[in-house]
Amino acid sequence: MKAYKDYVVVLLGASILFLTVILSGCSATRYLNDDQALVKDVKLKGINKDFSEDAYQYVQQEIRPNSRINLALYNMFNTSNGRYRADRIKNIGEAPRLLDSSLVDISSREIQKFLAYKSFFNAAVTSEIRVKNKKAYITFLAVPGPSFKVRNVNHAISDSAVRDLYLKNRESFSRLHAGNRYDVDSIMYEINSIFTLMKSNGYYDFLKPYIHVDADSTLLSSQVDLKLNVYNPPGKVAHKVYHLKNTTIDIKNSNIRFGRRAPDSAIVDSQYYFKDYSHRFKFDKLTRYIFINKGEKYSVANENLTYDRLYELNVFRNIKIEYEKDPDSSHLNARMEITPLKRNSNRVEGEYTFNSGRNGFNIGNTYTNRNLFGGAERLDIKFRYGILFDSRDKKLFSRIFNRDIQIGANLIIPRIVAPFHVRENYRAGLPHTTISSSMQIFDQPGAFRNRLFINSISYDWTQSKSRLHSFTPINIEYRDGRLDAAFKDSLYKSGNLLYVQTNDRRFLNIGSQYNFTLNAQKLNTYDNFFYFRGFFDIGGNSLGLLANVFRFHQDENGFRTFMGLPYLQYAKTEVDLRFYKSLGGERQFVARINPGVALPYGNSDALPFERNFYAGGSSGVRAWQARTLGPGNYNRSIIKDEETRKNLTYLDQFGEIKFEGNLEYRFKLMNNFFGSKLKGATFVDYGNVWRLDDKANVPGGRFEFDKFFDQLALGAGAGLRFDLQYFVFRFDVGAKIKDPQFTGSDNWVIRHLFSSEARKDFKDEYIQTNSPDRYRFLQYNFGIGMPF
């Protein structure tokens, strides 16, 4: 195993060296003909920094410098005998960008046009080309001239109703104001906003060509007069407003055919004419997601809202909405054709994990019924089995380190189901009621077994596009955790009572949870924004109040019981705050902090295993495996017995206080890497967990302000993201820089990483004090989706 680990380290080092060579020295010029030159650099001079990045986009793609790694991959697969092959593998890497003077001229003209669009009407752009050793360096020189500003903004709108509508709403969207810089983008935004305004207020026939903005730039002092024109349709004195009448809704079979059987049909609300060839839906439940209402003005906004809500139900494959005009009237009849997804689906998932001599797999199966009761209710039944092996154990059947079996069922109803009336706002978003039940069976032979049963009901709703709420009024848990008898006895003898109290216990918990999220819908964008998630979990208050009234029975440890079981009382909160900053293109910087605190009180003097915080993992401090960091300066060498140390693995490193943070730079490497978009990331992670109180068997684990920075773990690394459009597969490598389990200058473990002799001595010394734990400077993380 040692040889295997050394091989992995050497392989990783060789890979880093190989990439370094590619990034620093690989060149395609040796494969070029004498009359060809590789574009190495493109510069824009004389352009204001506010516009330089956008102006660069008008440089023709074929003469922009290559990404070095993309070019290196292309050269690797497309060259032989010192020349490019005729049968090129075009989908791997990126072909060399060669100098083409005609494309340079086109780029100059396009940049000049762009500057004119941005108010520099008198701009002139020239280019300079320098070629040396088959390498071309291009410079675009701009003389922008004066920036023109808007002097007056007038309008000429013949239709008085259209004019009144525009003037009423203008301030909410217009970017055309006197004194502003002239900008074609602002003019186009005005045109698009007016078009949307008209299409959302009954003007079904309205077209964009009816809108035109005239610009008069013949004035002195670099000023422009703008005139907004909205024309009437040819031969008409006004634009026609349409109102909605009836809506026909045809639901096909899942195979996109109308069935041979007669459809289920009904008229709902005297306006919706349903025909269901799939015989699966209850019509009255679907109408709440349709916003095309009889008597209202035609509105493209309501049409798009109908699309959004019906697709969010996750039961329809395709939706099409069309309109027919009533002859000799100003009414529209809507027609909807809907194709449902197949009702049942089954998904199998699996993953392989490895770390520090332990490896294993997880396999899961999810059965889904997408329309259980005819109202788009979704039933998910999940099964997951995971097993982790300790490959250092020579006995086959002793290699099993732990087993984990999880079974659960979720019923998700797309509306609020409550014993009292709740006013639902389907325009803001799709509310959900989730009724769930789950069971977990966990066994770590020779150490610990756990049985956990959870039943809950949750409500999710949208306050606005960016504000999401989730409230779980009832969360009932039963937990039965037992330590192995021999292991428990050894913990008593060694004075490790903390782990007996934390893990060897049965309890009942009745609590409530609340979660608020801000800007979750922007996570897949490159906008500048803050993301916030706040989580609150409170347990035992209702039982605590009843205990005071009815004097519940106390067990031998002095804890009040309900139905023969002690109940929990605690409060827990966690915050996830992030800042996303766009750096242009598909480049992004993310800063994140993630603090949390949990406090037992009343009927609880310690939190159970599941309610504590843990550090490390693929979405935290990535240089550490999950549950192997902290608390504080705690070092597992304090556990003198090697067998006890092994059995306490993943059970002893927790805390009631958590603080983690991340800094990550994300960027695109190539558009096509074996069918996926390849992206990269570099990151720095920091954090730890702490105990609230001093514990004799967890020295250094208590939170103290004056030791906070000294006890922060620090890691850094890089990763790849394979974006397959429907999901992202992620691989990260994190390196330990500062490890708080050591004190003083010894915690800067990065100094051992780059010397094979120092690294070996450090690991040998560590195994003597912490066996069977082995020290790993590097941690590999595989995952689905972004880390945060």
Side-chain angles (χ1 to χ4, degrees), residues 327-473:
D328 303 322
S329 76
S330 58
H331 288 94
L332 294 174
N333 289 309
R335 179 180 179 85
M336 300 175 60
E337 285 190 5
I338 301 177
T339 304
L341 292 164
K342 290 185 177 180
R343 184 167 191 165
N344 301 310
S345 68
N346 205 57
R347 185 176 72 253
V348 179
E349 299 173 315
E351 64 178 2
Y352 176 77
T353 60
F354 65 93
N355 186 68
S356 300
R358 297 190 180 97
N359 55 79
F361 64 86
N362 293 301
I363 187 168
N365 185 84
T366 302
Y367 162 78
T368 299
N369 184 312
R370 291 191 178 87
N371 191 35
L372 187 63
F373 302 121
E377 301 87 1
R378 191 173 86 239
L379 174 67
D380 292 331
I381 299 177
K382 301 180 180 181
F383 172 82
R384 179 179 176 272
Y385 177 75
I387 190 167
L388 190 66
F389 297 95
D390 191 338
S391 56
R392 294 168 296 191
D393 199 319
K394 296 181 179 179
K395 296 181 181 180
L396 178 62
F397 293 103
S398 299
R399 290 184 179 180
I400 297 177
F401 188 74
N402 61 46
R403 305 183 190 89
D404 188 5
I405 300 174
Q406 298 179 31
I407 303 172
N410 292 329
L411 176 60
I412 304 172
I413 304 170
R415 52 192 173 276
I416 300 298
V417 179
F420 48 86
H421 176 70
V422 177
R423 185 177 180 181
E424 297 169 304
N425 182 8
Y426 290 95
R427 285 186 168 274
L430 195 65
H432 292 97
T433 300
T434 303
I435 303 171
S436 64
S437 181
S438 65
M439 175 182 68
Q440 180 184 21
I441 301 173
F442 177 86
D443 289 297
Q444 190 165 310
F448 177 64
R449 50 152 282 188
N450 191 42
R451 306 293 182 263
L452 183 64
F453 301 88
I454 302 177
N455 295 277
S456 66
I457 180 168
S458 300
Y459 300 105
D460 304 288
W461 71 96
T462 304
Q463 177 184 344
S464 65
K465 189 175 182 180
S466 60
R467 292 174 170 81
L468 308 178
H469 301 265
S470 178
F471 177 51
T472 303

Side-chain angles (χ1 to χ4, degrees), residues 2 125 173 225 304 379 462 491 506 533 540 609 760:
K2 182 177 181 299
V125 179
F173 60 77
D225 281 346
N304 291 333
L379 174 67
T462 304
L491 291 175
R506 297 166 63 224
R533 184 182 67 86
F609 178 77
K760 180 180 181 302

Side-chain angles (χ1 to χ4, degrees), residues 16 89 91 170 191 228 266-267 271 398 406 437 480 618 668 780:
I16 294 174
I89 308 174
N91 62 337
R170 181 181 186 275
I191 292 173
L228 172 69
I267 302 174
Q271 60 172 317
S398 299
Q406 298 179 31
S437 181
D480 184 0
S618 62
K668 183 181 70 174
Y780 310 97

Side-chain angles (χ1 to χ4, degrees), residues 154-163 166 191 194-195 198 203 205-215 226-240:
N154 298 308
H155 61 266
I157 305 175
S158 303
D159 189 327
S160 60
V162 173
R163 181 172 61 251
Y166 168 72
I191 292 173
I194 294 172
F195 176 74
M198 299 295 289
Y203 295 95
D205 289 329
F206 193 86
L207 303 174
K208 277 188 182 180
Y210 295 150
I211 311 170
H212 187 267
V213 176
D214 296 325
L226 299 180
K227 183 180 180 182
L228 172 69
N229 301 281
V230 180
Y231 306 113
N232 287 336
K236 302 288 181 66
V237 296
H239 290 270
K240 192 172 185 178

Side-chain angles (χ1 to χ4, degrees), residues 632-633 657 690-691 694 700-712 738 744 747:
N633 289 128
I657 299 174
W690 292 266
R691 302 305 309 268
D694 281 320
R702 182 172 178 265
F703 180 82
E704 298 179 48
F705 280 104
D706 59 342
K707 296 181 180 179
F708 174 74
F709 290 103
D710 181 60
Q711 294 180 343
L712 278 181
K738 179 173 173 283
N747 60 19

Side-chain angles (χ1 to χ4, degrees), residues 542-554 560-562 567:
S542 299
L543 289 176
L545 182 62
L546 292 174
N548 292 330
V549 175
F550 295 103
R551 298 295 177 183
F552 285 178
H553 172 73
Q554 290 185 340
R560 302 272 180 138
T561 63
F562 177 73
Y567 59 87

